[in-house]
CSV table of all heavy atoms in Angstrom, one decimal:
chain,number,residue,atom,x,y,z
A,142,GLY,N,-14.0,-35.7,-23.1
A,142,GLY,CA,-13.1,-35.2,-22.1
A,142,GLY,C,-11.6,-34.9,-22.7
A,142,GLY,O,-11.2,-35.5,-23.7
A,143,ARG,N,-11.0,-34.0,-22.1
A,143,ARG,CA,-9.7,-33.5,-22.7
A,143,ARG,C,-8.6,-34.6,-22.4
A,143,ARG,O,-7.7,-34.7,-23.2
A,143,ARG,CB,-9.3,-32.1,-22.1
A,143,ARG,CG,-10.3,-31.1,-22.6
A,143,ARG,CD,-9.6,-29.7,-22.2
A,143,ARG,NE,-10.5,-28.6,-22.5
A,143,ARG,CZ,-10.2,-27.3,-22.3
A,143,ARG,NH1,-9.0,-27.0,-21.8
A,143,ARG,NH2,-11.0,-26.4,-22.6
A,144,MET,N,-8.8,-35.3,-21.3
A,144,MET,CA,-7.7,-36.2,-20.9
A,144,MET,C,-7.4,-37.2,-22.0
A,144,MET,O,-6.1,-37.5,-22.3
A,144,MET,CB,-8.1,-36.9,-19.5
A,144,MET,CG,-6.9,-37.4,-18.8
A,144,MET,SD,-5.8,-36.1,-18.1
A,144,MET,CE,-6.8,-35.6,-16.7
A,145,MET,N,-8.4,-37.7,-22.5
A,145,MET,CA,-8.2,-38.8,-23.5
A,145,MET,C,-7.4,-38.3,-24.8
A,145,MET,O,-6.6,-38.9,-25.4
A,145,MET,CB,-9.6,-39.3,-24.0
A,145,MET,CG,-9.5,-40.5,-24.9
A,145,MET,SD,-11.1,-41.3,-25.3
A,145,MET,CE,-11.5,-40.3,-26.7
A,146,GLN,N,-7.6,-37.0,-25.0
A,146,GLN,CA,-7.0,-36.3,-26.3
A,146,GLN,C,-5.5,-36.1,-26.0
A,146,GLN,O,-4.8,-35.7,-27.0
A,146,GLN,CB,-7.7,-35.1,-26.6
A,146,GLN,CG,-9.3,-35.2,-26.6
A,146,GLN,CD,-9.8,-36.3,-27.5
A,146,GLN,OE1,-9.3,-36.6,-28.5
A,146,GLN,NE2,-10.9,-36.9,-27.1
A,147,ALA,N,-5.1,-36.2,-24.7
A,147,ALA,CA,-3.7,-35.9,-24.5
A,147,ALA,C,-2.8,-37.2,-24.6
A,147,ALA,O,-1.6,-37.2,-24.6
A,147,ALA,CB,-3.5,-35.3,-23.1
A,148,ILE,N,-3.4,-38.3,-25.1
A,148,ILE,CA,-2.6,-39.5,-25.4
A,148,ILE,C,-2.0,-39.4,-26.7
A,148,ILE,O,-2.6,-38.8,-27.6
A,148,ILE,CB,-3.6,-40.7,-25.4
A,148,ILE,CG1,-4.2,-40.8,-24.0
A,148,ILE,CG2,-3.0,-41.9,-25.8
A,148,ILE,CD1,-5.3,-41.8,-23.9
A,149,ALA,N,-0.8,-39.8,-26.9
A,149,ALA,CA,0.0,-39.7,-28.1
A,149,ALA,C,0.3,-41.1,-28.8
A,149,ALA,O,0.2,-42.1,-28.0
A,149,ALA,CB,1.4,-39.0,-27.9
A,150,GLY,N,0.5,-41.2,-30.0
A,150,GLY,CA,0.7,-42.4,-30.7
A,150,GLY,C,1.5,-42.2,-31.9
A,150,GLY,O,2.0,-41.1,-32.3
A,151,ILE,N,1.7,-43.2,-32.7
A,151,ILE,CA,2.3,-43.2,-34.0
A,151,ILE,C,1.4,-43.7,-35.1
A,151,ILE,O,0.8,-44.9,-34.9
A,151,ILE,CB,3.7,-44.1,-33.9
A,151,ILE,CG1,4.7,-43.5,-33.1
A,151,ILE,CG2,4.2,-44.2,-35.4
A,151,ILE,CD1,5.9,-44.2,-32.8
A,152,HIS,N,1.2,-43.0,-36.1
A,152,HIS,CA,0.4,-43.5,-37.3
A,152,HIS,C,1.4,-43.8,-38.3
A,152,HIS,O,2.2,-43.1,-38.7
A,152,HIS,CB,-0.5,-42.4,-37.7
A,152,HIS,CG,-1.5,-41.9,-36.7
A,152,HIS,ND1,-2.2,-40.8,-36.8
A,152,HIS,CD2,-1.9,-42.5,-35.4
A,152,HIS,CE1,-2.9,-40.7,-35.7
A,152,HIS,NE2,-2.7,-41.7,-34.8
A,153,TYR,N,1.2,-45.0,-38.9
A,153,TYR,CA,2.0,-45.6,-40.0
A,153,TYR,C,1.2,-45.8,-41.3
A,153,TYR,O,0.3,-46.6,-41.3
A,153,TYR,CB,2.5,-46.9,-39.5
A,153,TYR,CG,3.7,-47.5,-40.3
A,153,TYR,CD1,5.0,-47.3,-39.9
A,153,TYR,CD2,3.5,-48.4,-41.3
A,153,TYR,CE1,5.9,-47.8,-40.6
A,153,TYR,CE2,4.5,-49.0,-41.9
A,153,TYR,CZ,5.8,-48.6,-41.7
A,153,TYR,OH,6.8,-49.4,-42.3
A,154,ASN,N,1.6,-44.9,-42.1
A,154,ASN,CA,0.8,-44.9,-43.5
A,154,ASN,C,1.5,-45.8,-44.4
A,154,ASN,O,2.8,-45.8,-44.7
A,154,ASN,CB,0.9,-43.4,-44.1
A,154,ASN,CG,0.1,-42.6,-43.1
A,154,ASN,OD1,-1.1,-42.8,-42.8
A,154,ASN,ND2,0.6,-41.4,-42.9
A,155,PHE,N,0.8,-46.6,-45.2
A,155,PHE,CA,1.3,-47.7,-46.0
A,155,PHE,C,0.7,-47.8,-47.3
A,155,PHE,O,-0.7,-47.9,-47.3
A,155,PHE,CB,1.2,-49.0,-45.2
A,155,PHE,CG,1.7,-50.2,-45.9
A,155,PHE,CD1,2.8,-50.8,-45.7
A,155,PHE,CD2,0.7,-51.0,-46.8
A,155,PHE,CE1,3.3,-52.0,-46.3
A,155,PHE,CE2,1.1,-52.2,-47.4
A,155,PHE,CZ,2.4,-52.6,-47.2
A,156,SER,N,1.3,-48.0,-48.4
A,156,SER,CA,0.7,-48.2,-49.8
A,156,SER,C,1.5,-49.0,-50.6
A,156,SER,O,2.8,-49.0,-50.5
A,156,SER,CB,0.2,-47.0,-50.5
A,156,SER,OG,1.4,-46.2,-50.8
A,157,MET,N,1.0,-49.9,-51.4
A,157,MET,CA,1.7,-50.6,-52.5
A,157,MET,C,1.9,-49.8,-53.7
A,157,MET,O,1.0,-49.0,-53.9
A,157,MET,CB,0.9,-51.9,-52.8
A,157,MET,CG,0.8,-52.9,-51.6
A,157,MET,SD,2.4,-53.5,-51.1
A,157,MET,CE,2.8,-54.6,-52.6
A,158,PRO,N,2.9,-50.0,-54.5
A,158,PRO,CA,3.1,-49.1,-55.7
A,158,PRO,C,2.0,-49.5,-56.6
A,158,PRO,O,1.4,-50.5,-56.7
A,158,PRO,CB,4.5,-49.7,-56.2
A,158,PRO,CG,4.6,-51.0,-55.6
A,158,PRO,CD,4.0,-51.0,-54.2
A,159,GLU,N,1.6,-48.4,-57.5
A,159,GLU,CA,0.6,-48.6,-58.4
A,159,GLU,C,0.9,-49.8,-59.3
A,159,GLU,O,-0.1,-50.5,-59.9
A,159,GLU,CB,0.5,-47.3,-59.2
A,159,GLU,CG,-0.8,-47.2,-60.1
A,159,GLU,CD,-2.2,-47.2,-59.2
A,159,GLU,OE1,-2.1,-47.2,-58.0
A,159,GLU,OE2,-3.3,-47.3,-59.8
A,160,ALA,N,2.2,-50.0,-59.7
A,160,ALA,CA,2.4,-51.2,-60.6
A,160,ALA,C,2.0,-52.4,-60.1
A,160,ALA,O,1.7,-53.3,-60.9
A,160,ALA,CB,3.9,-51.1,-61.0
A,161,PHE,N,2.0,-52.7,-58.8
A,161,PHE,CA,1.5,-53.9,-58.2
A,161,PHE,C,0.1,-54.0,-58.4
A,161,PHE,O,-0.3,-55.2,-58.9
A,161,PHE,CB,1.8,-53.8,-56.6
A,161,PHE,CG,1.0,-54.9,-55.9
A,161,PHE,CD1,1.3,-56.2,-55.9
A,161,PHE,CD2,-0.2,-54.5,-55.2
A,161,PHE,CE1,0.5,-57.2,-55.3
A,161,PHE,CE2,-0.9,-55.4,-54.6
A,161,PHE,CZ,-0.5,-56.7,-54.6
A,162,TRP,N,-0.8,-53.0,-58.2
A,162,TRP,CA,-2.1,-53.1,-58.6
A,162,TRP,C,-2.5,-53.5,-59.9
A,162,TRP,O,-3.4,-54.1,-60.3
A,162,TRP,CB,-2.9,-51.9,-58.0
A,162,TRP,CG,-2.7,-51.7,-56.5
A,162,TRP,CD1,-2.0,-50.8,-55.9
A,162,TRP,CD2,-3.3,-52.5,-55.5
A,162,TRP,NE1,-2.0,-50.9,-54.4
A,162,TRP,CE2,-2.9,-52.0,-54.2
A,162,TRP,CE3,-4.1,-53.7,-55.5
A,162,TRP,CZ2,-3.4,-52.5,-53.1
A,162,TRP,CZ3,-4.5,-54.2,-54.2
A,162,TRP,CH2,-4.1,-53.8,-53.1
A,163,GLN,N,-1.6,-52.8,-60.8
A,163,GLN,CA,-1.8,-53.0,-62.3
A,163,GLN,C,-1.5,-54.5,-62.7
A,163,GLN,O,-2.3,-55.1,-63.3
A,163,GLN,CB,-1.0,-52.0,-63.1
A,163,GLN,CG,-1.4,-50.6,-62.9
A,163,GLN,CD,-0.3,-49.6,-63.5
A,163,GLN,OE1,0.8,-50.0,-63.8
A,163,GLN,NE2,-0.7,-48.4,-63.7
A,164,GLN,N,-0.5,-55.0,-62.1
A,164,GLN,CA,-0.2,-56.4,-62.5
A,164,GLN,C,-1.1,-57.4,-62.0
A,164,GLN,O,-1.6,-58.3,-62.6
A,164,GLN,CB,1.3,-56.7,-62.0
A,164,GLN,CG,2.3,-56.0,-62.8
A,164,GLN,CD,3.7,-56.6,-62.5
A,164,GLN,OE1,3.8,-57.9,-62.0
A,164,GLN,NE2,4.8,-55.9,-62.7
A,165,ALA,N,-1.6,-57.1,-60.7
A,165,ALA,CA,-2.7,-58.0,-60.1
A,165,ALA,C,-3.9,-57.9,-60.8
A,165,ALA,O,-4.6,-58.9,-61.0
A,165,ALA,CB,-2.8,-57.7,-58.5
A,166,HIS,N,-4.3,-56.7,-61.2
A,166,HIS,CA,-5.5,-56.5,-61.9
A,166,HIS,C,-5.5,-57.2,-63.3
A,166,HIS,O,-6.4,-57.9,-63.6
A,166,HIS,CB,-5.7,-55.0,-62.1
A,166,HIS,CG,-7.1,-54.7,-62.8
A,166,HIS,ND1,-7.1,-53.8,-64.0
A,166,HIS,CD2,-8.2,-55.0,-62.5
A,166,HIS,CE1,-8.4,-53.6,-64.2
A,166,HIS,NE2,-9.1,-54.4,-63.4
A,167,GLU,N,-4.4,-57.2,-64.0
A,167,GLU,CA,-4.4,-57.9,-65.3
A,167,GLU,C,-4.2,-59.4,-64.9
A,167,GLU,O,-4.9,-60.2,-65.7
A,167,GLU,CB,-3.1,-57.5,-66.0
A,167,GLU,CG,-2.9,-56.0,-66.5
A,167,GLU,CD,-1.6,-55.5,-66.8
A,167,GLU,OE1,-0.7,-56.5,-66.9
A,167,GLU,OE2,-1.5,-54.4,-67.1
A,168,ALA,N,-3.6,-59.8,-63.9
A,168,ALA,CA,-3.6,-61.3,-63.6
A,168,ALA,C,-5.1,-61.8,-63.3
A,168,ALA,O,-5.3,-63.0,-63.6
A,168,ALA,CB,-2.7,-61.5,-62.5
A,169,ALA,N,-5.9,-61.0,-62.8
A,169,ALA,CA,-7.2,-61.3,-62.5
A,169,ALA,C,-8.2,-61.2,-63.6
A,169,ALA,O,-9.3,-61.5,-63.6
A,169,ALA,CB,-7.7,-60.4,-61.3
A,170,GLY,N,-7.8,-60.8,-64.8
A,170,GLY,CA,-8.4,-60.8,-65.9
A,170,GLY,C,-8.9,-59.4,-66.5
A,170,GLY,O,-9.4,-59.1,-67.6
A,171,GLY,N,-8.4,-58.3,-65.5
A,171,GLY,CA,-8.6,-57.0,-66.1
A,171,GLY,C,-10.1,-56.5,-66.1
A,171,GLY,O,-10.3,-55.4,-66.6
A,172,SER,N,-11.0,-57.1,-65.6
A,172,SER,CA,-12.4,-56.8,-65.6
A,172,SER,C,-12.6,-55.8,-64.5
A,172,SER,O,-12.0,-55.8,-63.5
A,172,SER,CB,-13.3,-57.9,-65.3
A,172,SER,OG,-13.1,-58.5,-64.1
A,173,GLY,N,-13.6,-54.9,-64.7
A,173,GLY,CA,-13.8,-53.7,-63.7
A,173,GLY,C,-12.7,-52.8,-63.7
A,173,GLY,O,-11.6,-52.9,-64.5
A,174,SER,N,-12.8,-51.6,-63.0
A,174,SER,CA,-11.8,-50.6,-63.0
A,174,SER,C,-10.7,-50.9,-62.1
A,174,SER,O,-10.9,-51.6,-61.1
A,174,SER,CB,-12.5,-49.2,-62.6
A,174,SER,OG,-12.8,-49.3,-61.3
A,175,LEU,N,-9.4,-50.4,-62.4
A,175,LEU,CA,-8.4,-50.5,-61.6
A,175,LEU,C,-8.6,-49.8,-60.2
A,175,LEU,O,-8.2,-50.3,-59.2
A,175,LEU,CB,-7.1,-50.0,-62.3
A,175,LEU,CG,-5.8,-50.0,-61.5
A,175,LEU,CD1,-5.4,-51.4,-61.1
A,175,LEU,CD2,-4.7,-49.2,-62.3
A,176,THR,N,-9.4,-48.7,-60.2
A,176,THR,CA,-9.7,-48.1,-59.1
A,176,THR,C,-10.5,-49.0,-58.1
A,176,THR,O,-10.2,-49.0,-56.9
A,176,THR,CB,-10.4,-46.8,-59.3
A,176,THR,OG1,-9.7,-45.9,-60.0
A,176,THR,CG2,-10.8,-46.2,-57.9
A,177,ASP,N,-11.4,-49.6,-58.6
A,177,ASP,CA,-12.3,-50.6,-57.8
A,177,ASP,C,-11.4,-51.8,-57.3
A,177,ASP,O,-11.6,-52.3,-56.2
A,177,ASP,CB,-13.5,-51.1,-58.5
A,177,ASP,CG,-14.5,-50.0,-58.8
A,177,ASP,OD1,-14.4,-48.9,-58.0
A,177,ASP,OD2,-15.5,-50.1,-59.5
A,178,PHE,N,-10.5,-52.2,-58.1
A,178,PHE,CA,-9.6,-53.4,-57.9
A,178,PHE,C,-8.7,-53.1,-56.7
A,178,PHE,O,-8.6,-53.8,-55.7
A,178,PHE,CB,-9.0,-53.9,-59.0
A,178,PHE,CG,-8.2,-55.1,-58.8
A,178,PHE,CD1,-8.7,-56.4,-59.1
A,178,PHE,CD2,-6.9,-55.0,-58.5
A,178,PHE,CE1,-7.9,-57.5,-58.9
A,178,PHE,CE2,-6.1,-56.2,-58.3
A,178,PHE,CZ,-6.7,-57.4,-58.5
Side-chain angles (χ1 to χ4, degrees):
R143 296 187 182 185
M144 199 71 74
M145 186 174 87
Q146 315 303 325
I148 299 171
I151 294 173
H152 299 167
Y153 194 88
N154 299 312
F155 174 98
S156 66
M157 294 295 291
E159 192 66 6
F161 162 75
W162 296 111
Q163 292 169 349
Q164 287 193 26
H166 186 228
E167 291 169 6
S172 61
S174 73
L175 178 60
T176 294
D177 289 345
F178 185 88

